Amino acid sequence: MSRERILDAALELVDRDGVAALSMRRLGKELGVEAMTLYYYLPNKDAVLDGLVERTLAGVAVRPEGPWREWARAFAVSFRAALLAHPGLLPLLATRPVATPGGLDTAERAAQALVAEGFTATDALHVITTLATFVIGQVLAEAGGTPGHDGPDPRPALDPDRHPVFGAALAAGLGTARDHEDRFAYALDALLGGLAPR
């Protein structure tokens, strides 16, 4: 047993059943041990959730070096890939602030690089939060229902005479994997183009 093994099991459980299904008792059962055993490695459920957030950020391998828009774009692309690999984490990452030393270190390195580019400390963190929130929102729309929460049918029946633009967009591939990629890149370009030191 180890902290990493527990977080691996927690991630598998969240991928399969969603964040709402995660409890120390359920996690212990997944690992074949009593829940009390887990507390030796992680003091409570909050520590498990923080560990999952930190692990997700650790998987976003981008160094804040060079022109800031380039590494910020690379961060957004890498963060999107990490979330698409584990869409069950979306509710957690959308609502839980970064609180672990490793997660804070990652954000601090990016913030320092932005401050060096002329952003104030507050605006540097606004840039980071804006990018993260943008990516989470895009992936929520792209992933549809997350484990434990089925979403509505993304392709409603349309009357082409009443909704010709929607009809044309759907015929052109709206909602496909290629469209999701294109929409993400289009919006990311617009977002990064609009962000600048005040």
Side-chain angles (χ1 to χ4, degrees):
M1 193 63 59
S2 67
R3 180 179 186 273
E4 290 308 306
R5 185 174 172 208
I6 293 167
L7 290 175
D8 286 343
L11 184 58
E12 287 177 21
L13 191 140
V14 168
D15 280 346
R16 187 179 64 241
D17 300 326
V19 173
L22 181 63
S23 69
M24 296 302 271
R25 178 174 288 165
R26 178 97 183 265
L27 192 50
K29 185 175 179 183
E30 293 279 323
L31 290 162
V33 298
E34 293 294 323
M36 291 304 295
T37 303
L38 304 180
Y39 293 113
Y40 179 77
Y41 301 93
L42 291 153
N44 51 41
K45 181 180 172 182
D46 281 340
V48 174
L49 297 175
D50 288 341
L52 291 175
V53 170
E54 181 179 46
R55 178 178 275 201
T56 303
L57 292 176
V60 180
V62 174
R63 294 181 187 274
E65 298 170 352
W68 77 267
R69 283 187 175 92
E70 289 181 17
W71 63 255
R73 168 179 271 288
F75 161 77
V77 169
S78 183
F79 190 34
R80 175 177 175 258
L83 292 179
L84 285 172
H86 301 287
L89 290 174
L90 283 164
L92 177 64
L93 288 158
T95 59
R96 191 167 195 87
V98 175
T100 62
L104 290 171
D105 288 348
T106 299
E108 178 67 24
R109 282 190 298 274
Q112 286 179 6
L114 289 168
V115 167
E117 293 285 341
F119 289 90
T120 66
T122 301
D123 283 351
L125 293 173
H126 287 338
V127 169
I128 294 165
T129 303
T130 298
L131 283 171
T133 304
F134 161 73
V135 174
I136 291 167
Q138 287 286 311
V139 175
L140 275 169
E142 188 171 348
T146 57
H149 301 281
D150 293 329
D153 182 354
R155 295 181 66 103
L158 294 174
D159 177 350
D161 294 327
R162 184 172 177 180
H163 303 106
V165 173
F166 278 103
L170 286 169
L174 182 71
T176 63
R178 184 175 178 187
D179 173 60
H180 288 306
E181 187 79 32
D182 184 56
R183 177 176 27 143
F184 178 78
Y186 178 78
L188 181 58
D189 285 343
L191 180 61
L192 289 171
L195 292 171
R198 289 193 276 191

